[in-house]
Every structure is written in C-alpha cells, then in structure tokens.
Amino acid sequence: MAQIFHRSANSLANITIAAVILGIGGLLWASYRIDQGSFITEVGIARQQPVPFSHKHHVTDDGIDCRYCHTSVEVSPFAGLPPTETCMSCHSQIWTNAEMLEPVRASYRTGQSIEWTRVYDLPDFVYFNHSIHINKGVGCSTCHGRVDLMPLTYKANTLYMQWCVECHRNPAKYVRPREEVFNMTYQAPGNQMELGRRLVAEYKVQSLTDCVTCHR
Amino acid sequence: MRHRITLLPLILSLAACRQDMHNQPRYKPLAGTGFFGDGRSARPSPEGTVARGELHIDKARYTGKVDGNDVTAFPFPITRADVSRGQQRFNIYCSPCHSRLGDGNGMIVRRGFRQAANYNTDKLRNAPVGHFFDVITNGFGAMPSYASRIPPDDRWRIVAYIRVLQFSQNAKLEDAPPAERQELEAMPVTPSPAPSPTPQKEVSR
C-alpha cells in the first residue's frame, strides 16, 4: 500500500504547529501592545479644545495655583472646571482682542457654556474622589504628570486598573507631604520609602484594594 | 456545533468592545446633555430655594455689613490656624493680582491688568474688616466677585491675613521679638526683591 502522506508532510506539520503557536502568541502580544498604546489609552495625545488653553502659560509663566480654577478639588469628588466667569476675571482686561479667546467672550455674552473635551474620562463603573487623594498626600502631578509644562493638555497616565492598584497596594511609594501636593515641580526625595512610610502612618493612609473601594 | 464553539471566543472578544458599562446612562459633573434646551446637565437651583448650608441669617458674617455699614470686628475668633489658612487662600486667589506682599503688583497686573489695590496705604490700613469682606464678595472696580470661589469663612480668614500683611509691611524693628531683632540687625541692607513668580512653600494646615 502506498504511503498516504509524502515525507515532506512531517516538516509541514512541524511548521504548522510552530506557526499556530507563534501566530497566537504574536496576536496576543500585538493586542496587548495596542491596548497599552496611546491609540487606545490616549496617553500623550492632546485633545482638540474650543480654546487652545495652555496650562504651561497659566501655571508656569503666571504662577497661578491649580485651585484658582479647580476650586472644589480639596472638598469634592470633582476637581471643578472653571465657569467662564473665572476666565473673565483676568481676560476682561488682558488679551481682550485676541481671536483665540472669542469663544470665551461669546460664552460670557450669551451665557452658553464652553464645551470642553474631557481629557480624563474614567469608565462609569469606577468611583473616584479627588478630595480624599489630595488630603492624603497624593500630589496633582503624581497622576496628571507635569501639567505645568503642557501647552495643550493631554493624559499623562492610562487610568487602567493596574495603574491605580500599583499605588493602592503600596501608597508609601507615592505619598508626599500635604503642603507639597499642589507643588508641580516636586521631586520625590531619595528616601521616599522612609518618608512615605512615615506619612502613611501620620495621615492614616490605608492601602485599599477591596473591589468595592472603586467599584461601588 | 463545532463551528459555533470555535466562533465563541471571537464573538466574546468582539462583545468586549462594547462600551455600555463604560458609558452608562448618567451624567458626570458638568457633562453636556441633549435633554435640556441649554445643553447643561447641571441644573440651576429653582428660584426661591435655599441650598442646604446656604441659609445665611447672620448678616455680619455673610455680608460683612450691619445696617449698610462695614463691620469692624471679625464674626468669629481668629486663631493661628485661621491666619495660616487665610495665607494659603490669599496666595491662591488674591496674590495673582495683589502679589504675595499685598502691594498690588502681582503677575497679572504686570501683564497688563488694571493696577490692583495696595493694602499698605493709610486708607486701607484704616478700613474696617467688613470692607475687605465686601470687596471679596462683590468685587471692586475691575476686580470681579470671588463669592463663588471662596466660601464666606475663608473670606474672613483672608481678611485676617491681609491684616497680617499690612502689619508686616509696616513693621518697625522694635516690633520684632528680641531674638529675631538681633538676627535682622546682622543682615546686610538690600532693597526688597520683586515677588517670586515660583510658588513658595505653604504653611501646612
């Protein structure tokens, strides 16, 4: 009886097995990279806004504190987005003819809100509260990056769960003294772990990793 | 049947792309909506209603005035913690124009805003505390109202810190405690520097 398979079928089988394993592995790797990449996470990509607002100019050049505009960040879950009135505190007198600021003036004239594009958009099944983080010594720049150096605002971190949990598992790695929370140029000192452990005890920072902490 | 089983992972992976749970039918703060005519999900309070904690009966505390006259005393005792809080709030909301010294030459003024008030004038040194509270609440000249940004008690703490600035900018060597006086006398005389645009360290609360 003649052989059904040619002898090359052996190599063909081996190659196929290898190709399937490598192919599946490659697909998994590619989808992981895409998932972590800025196409999906939007990290590092400046969003189009009705006014090209520069945090760099207002924070670094003018020395305005975060809380001048984000007034509710210390007391509420929402950091607070300034009403047009806040922009007009200064721009009623400065750059009054600037074309760029016409949407702001139009909003002030008509009472229509400026429609900003949200840069940090957590999934709706996640509960997040700014004030507790601020009051436990988590700095603005820890999550939002060097906003004071951003001419246009972009996301500095993925907001993925693994990223949140990284700090929730070991807050001592990231906490800083409360009076440094709004200091955008703060650098973690060499003895961060020692300082962090001391602050965690002093501020009674809990390492909350229960599901219901965020998914409530 | 076998085909259906191999298709299952594919169907599941496609199903994972749906954003139903990410974007639930509820509004985040200040999110836009097509439901109301003005496009706002945050609704203004109906006329004639008083929000919880906003029933301001004590006129002196919430307007800085009694019978149309500025009050001359703080409505609650000012402690060191209040002054520290006042300093912090002053540096956030007032120093952009009034500068950290209160001389009215803050960064925004240097950028072209109308000259802000210098607290170190006889007129403002003698002004009653209620005057400053009223200006923060209702604005003055080119300065807009800060009522929506600074809660009433913080306004009083800022006023207390303005008093500190007025004192410190007009203090004499004899006003300093003896230990610090010696230190000050040993310092070389230099003209006072321009206020630094970089944020200074805050006094911790």
Short mmCIF file of all heavy atoms in Angstrom, two decimals, chain A residues 21 101 114 211:
data_model
loop_
_atom_site.label_atom_id
_atom_site.label_comp_id
_atom_site.label_asym_id
_atom_site.label_seq_id
_atom_site.Cartn_x
_atom_site.Cartn_y
_atom_site.Cartn_z
N ILE A 21 1.37 28.30 17.09
CA ILE A 21 1.77 28.78 18.43
C ILE A 21 2.31 30.20 18.35
O ILE A 21 1.89 31.09 19.09
CB ILE A 21 2.81 27.82 19.04
CG1 ILE A 21 2.13 26.49 19.38
CG2 ILE A 21 3.45 28.42 20.28
CD1 ILE A 21 3.10 25.39 19.78
N LEU A 101 -9.53 83.92 22.01
CA LEU A 101 -10.40 83.94 23.19
C LEU A 101 -11.85 84.27 22.86
O LEU A 101 -12.67 84.41 23.76
CB LEU A 101 -9.86 84.94 24.22
CG LEU A 101 -8.51 84.56 24.84
CD1 LEU A 101 -8.01 85.66 25.76
CD2 LEU A 101 -8.66 83.27 25.62
N ILE A 114 -19.02 76.90 27.55
CA ILE A 114 -17.97 76.47 26.61
C ILE A 114 -17.93 74.95 26.69
O ILE A 114 -17.90 74.38 27.79
CB ILE A 114 -16.60 77.03 27.03
CG1 ILE A 114 -16.64 78.54 27.13
CG2 ILE A 114 -15.51 76.59 26.05
CD1 ILE A 114 -15.37 79.16 27.67
N CYS A 211 -12.45 45.31 46.04
CA CYS A 211 -13.14 45.67 44.80
C CYS A 211 -14.07 46.86 45.01
O CYS A 211 -14.13 47.79 44.20
CB CYS A 211 -13.96 44.50 44.28
SG CYS A 211 -13.00 43.01 44.06
#
